[in-house]
Structures are given as structure tokens and as C-alpha cells.
Amino acid sequence: MARVGGDEFVVVQTMMAGPGDAAALAERIMVEIALPYDIDGHAVSIDTSIGIAIFPHDGDTVEALLKNADTALYRAKEAGRGVTCFFEAEMEVRLRERGLLEHDLRGAMAKGEFEINFQPLHACGTRDVTAFETLLRWHHPVRGDVSPAEFIPVAEECGLIVPLGQWVLEQACAAAAAWPQPYTVAVNLSPVQFRRGGLPAQVAEVLARTGLAASRLELEVTEGLLIEDAEGALATMQALKALGVRLALDDFGTGYSSLSYLRRFPFDKLKIDKSFTQAIELDPGARAIVDAILAMGHSLNLRVTAEGVETEAQLAFLRTLDCDEAQGFLLGRPVPADQLHRRLDAEARLERA
Ligand code: C2E
Ligand code: MG
Ligand code: MG
């Protein structure tokens, strides 16, 4: 057994009958390390992640075995705490693909490949526009448009989300400050931007520089943020609220959907995930959940937005439940910032005429 750096260790197991022996050893190591330590009367426990590569199948040199065990370890860490992963050749392909994406992502900002789009949020009853959500787009010269669902996690992992998120915030606030009508602008924030610290000061600075009123900015976060570091997140959220910006909980229903989060954290709005909205017509269970989320949200004085509204039937159902806002392809697709600006200008001219 050897320590190869930081908190990483290598265990060489010989005389194995098969992969089951490696799994059994991994299990023993994990159980043993997880036993709680008593530190000043506090029980502290340690999680272990383990990656396994087997000779000669996964490599017939020391270097190849170590590298592949490391790839498996990377996958294990990605899968959560206390996980063991065996190396699979396809992991390497995925890792290489991710490396390429990361490489391109690092150059994309300087090359001006990013763009922001805005998607409208509408009042359910009147269908009036209430706000626009900022959605990031990456136009890759070779891959074409890459979905944020694909590149945001990579940007988060390599830390690039911090400058990228800052850029999105600036673009969104500057655009909104120039709109002829004082609509709210929503911006998605990554948990990584919270963890980095200094977020409230950055937001305050962007608002001051762009001249956007704090009351017109809404920041969207997901539950992941609250689970990872509840205390830190709460302090940052309170500081953001003190600036006068509003906070929305995005994708509600897909994570832990904990009621205690809604009570503890200073949210103004809850956004029901599109998976529920889209199941409304077919699945009575989804209807019951949407109904329950709305009742609960309203009783906590939160505004509720349904995401992913694609049909009139979905909108009609949401209206019967007094849902506040709807967002989705039925009402408006995301459009580039300049296109939206031209449209808002034309509307303002029409109103004046
Ligand atoms: P989100 O914040 O929940 O954004 C809503 C997503 O639903 C957007 O996907 C939007 O295009 C899509 N959508 C809207 N209406 C409909 C509909 O009627 N049907 C369907 N099927 N989809 C609809 P998009 O733009 O691909 O973004 C995916 C996610 O990426 C976002 O989910 C958000 O979590 C993340 N994201 C996007 N831009 C940013 C950003 O600037 N920063 C961060 N941290 N995350 C971002
Ligand atoms: Mg969002
Ligand atoms: Mg969402």
C-alpha cells in the first residue's frame, strides 16, 4: 500500500481469484474507514471513493493500471460519496471527450462563441409578459450548438463557470437596463459561483455599473446548492436579498424537494420543473403533485412558475390551480438578446402611437 499524493492511496492486491476479491477488499476498506472518529466529542466520519483496475485485462504495465484505476476513481467520485467503480474502457473514451470539451470551452469565451438568449415568463391568467429568463448558448464552430445541459457541468468542474457566470450576469443586466419596458430579468446561478465567495459584492457591482434596479433582477438557483452547504448558502442568499434582488428555486420537484428548504431559505419564487408540467395531461399523479406544490408554495407566500408549458391544455390546467406564471414553447421560445430588444422597441413605439 502506498500514499501517492494528497488523500490518494494505492493498494496492490495479489493472489486474487477474480474481480469479486477486489470488490470485497474495497468494501472492507470503505467500512473500516467510515467508522466514526471521536474528535472533541463530535463523531466525525470519512467517506472513501475507490477505483479498481485489474491486471492484465485493464492494463499490463504499472502505468496503464494506475492510469485506468485513476479513471475509475474519477467516475466513482462523480457518482457520489462512498462509491467503488471498476474501470471500463468506455470510461476512458468519455473522459477524453470531456477533456476535449473542456479545452474548447476554455477558448470559447475569448473567441466570442457564447451568446445569451431570453425566454419570456407570462402571467397565467392574462398571458402578459412578466419577465425574461437568461439562457446561455454556445455556438461551437465544429460541434454546432452545444446544450447548456452538456457544457455547464464541465464549466462547473473546471471552474470556468465563475467568469462565464459573471459574463452572463453582466450581459443580462446591461440588456435589461436598456429595455424600454421595466421587465424583470432572471439569471441562473451555479452553486460553484456561490461557493467561490464574494457573490453579493459582484452582483452589487454589476447592478451599479449597468444601472439596473436590484428589484428587476431575479437569481435562479437549484436545490443542489442548498444540499451541499446550507449554512454558507443561507448567508449568501441573505446578503443577496439585502441588495434587493429576488431569489427563485429552479427545477423544483426533481431533487429532494424538501419543504424545510422552502421555509428556511428566503425564496420569492418556486419554479415547477418541466417534467411535471409535461406530464399534466397524461399522468394524474403529476397533476396531484403540481396541485400540491402550488398549494404549498402559495401558503408560504411564494410565487409559482410552471416551466416547459407546451400546450393550451397544460396552461388551462395551471390556470385552474391559480398558478402565477408560465414559461414554455407555447408562449415563447428563447430568442437572442438583440432580437428581443428590437421587438420590445417596436412594441414601445406601437404603444406610443
Ligand atoms: P433552466 O434554468 O430550468 O431553464 C429552462 C430550460 O428549459 C431551458 O433549457 C429552456 O430552453 C427549456 N425550455 C423552456 N421552455 C420549454 C418547453 O416548453 N419545452 C421544453 N422541452 N423545454 C423548454 P436550456 O436553455 O437548454 O438550459 C438548460 C439548463 O442549463 C437551464 O435549465 C439551466 O439550469 C442551465 N443554464 C442555462 N443557462 C445558464 C447560465 O447562464 N448559467 C447557469 N449556471 N446555468 C445555465
Ligand atoms: Mg432557470
Ligand atoms: Mg428549470
Side-chain angles (χ1 to χ4, degrees):
M1 180 164 163
R3 172 163 174 250
V4 290
D7 55 356
E8 281 192 15
F9 298 84
V10 170
V11 176
V12 179
Q13 185 182 22
T14 55
M15 313 275 276
M16 295 166 56
D21 286 1
L25 179 61
E27 177 66 22
R28 266 175 59 208
I29 291 172
M30 231 173 240
V31 167
E32 203 66 35
I33 293 181
L35 293 176
Y37 296 84
D38 178 76
I39 296 179
D40 290 342
H42 297 282
V44 175
S45 66
I46 300 174
D47 290 310
T48 321
S49 304
I50 299 181
I52 300 174
I54 295 176
F55 173 87
H57 182 264
D58 301 332
D60 53 8
T61 63
V62 173
E63 290 73 27
L65 279 173
L66 281 176
K67 184 172 140 288
N68 291 342
D70 202 46
T71 300
L73 174 63
Y74 179 89
R75 285 288 297 157
K77 283 183 179 165
E78 223 181 24
R81 294 163 165 215
V83 173
T84 295
C85 262
F86 280 87
F87 174 76
E88 292 161 28
E90 143 267 354
M91 281 175 186
E92 206 182 24
V93 176
R94 228 178 320 159
L95 204 65
R96 202 172 321 125
E97 168 58 26
R98 202 181 171 99
L100 290 175
L101 200 66
E102 181 181 328
H103 173 267
D104 291 355
L105 206 49
R106 286 184 186 281
M109 193 117 93
K111 292 188 197 136
E113 291 170 7
F114 291 113
E115 181 188 46
I116 54 165
N117 276 9
F118 289 113
Q119 186 182 28
L121 277 69
H122 294 251
C124 269
T126 61
R127 291 199 180 205
D128 289 340
V129 172
T130 52
F132 290 92
E133 177 174 6
T134 315
L135 295 164
L136 185 56
R137 295 292 175 259
W138 180 16
H139 307 296
H140 190 285
V142 181
R143 295 168 193 264
D145 286 357
V146 187
S147 158
E150 194 178 337
F151 72 80
I152 296 278
V154 180
E156 287 178 331
E157 196 167 320
C158 67
L160 207 70
I161 192 70
V162 173
L164 190 54
Q166 169 86 9
W167 181 83
V168 171
L169 183 68
E170 283 174 16
Q171 297 288 309
C173 291
W179 290 339
Q181 301 88 345
Y183 292 121
T184 296
V185 65
V187 176
N188 293 287
L189 288 183
S190 155
V192 180
Q193 290 172 275
F194 271 76
R195 260 184 268 131
R196 202 51 75 90
L199 187 62
Q202 275 168 21
V203 172
E205 194 269 327
V206 171
L207 288 172
R209 191 148 38 84
T210 57
L212 185 76
S215 58
R216 288 183 56 200
L217 179 62
E218 189 160 87
L219 300 172
E220 298 191 0
V221 301
T222 50
E223 274 179 302
L225 170 73
L226 316 176
I227 294 159
E228 281 162 32
D229 173 18
E231 292 312 314
L234 182 59
T236 307
M237 287 169 75
Q238 281 164 343
L240 288 168
K241 286 285 294 189
L243 296 176
V245 304
R246 275 173 293 158
L247 297 173
L249 181 56
D250 205 351
D251 301 343
F252 191 76
T254 54
Y256 289 78
S257 310
S258 161
L259 301 185
S260 71
Y261 290 146
L262 292 180
R263 213 167 36 82
R264 258 187 83 197
F265 293 92
F267 286 112
D268 301 280
K269 178 188 280 189
L270 200 123
K271 298 186 80 176
I272 302 178
D273 190 70
K274 55 175 174 284
S275 55
F276 292 105
T277 308
Q278 291 175 353
I280 281 175
E281 284 161 275
L282 298 173
D283 177 2
R287 277 200 292 277
I289 290 173
V290 169
D291 190 356
I293 295 177
L294 271 158
M296 178 188 72
H298 285 155
S299 72
L300 290 166
N301 283 323
L302 297 167
R303 290 178 64 77
V304 182
T305 303
E307 303 189 277
V309 178
E310 293 184 353
T311 68
E312 290 290 348
Q314 289 162 0
L315 185 62
F317 176 76
L318 291 163
R319 216 181 284 131
T320 62
L321 296 181
D322 275 335
C323 184
D324 302 281
E325 286 170 330
Q327 176 180 8
F329 296 163
L330 173 71
L331 299 155
R333 289 185 178 260
V335 294
D338 49 347
Q339 195 176 319
L340 172 67
H341 196 118
R342 281 197 299 275
R343 201 165 79 203
L344 294 180
D345 263 346
E347 280 172 19
R349 271 198 302 276
L350 263 179
E351 249 161 58
R352 279 197 302 270

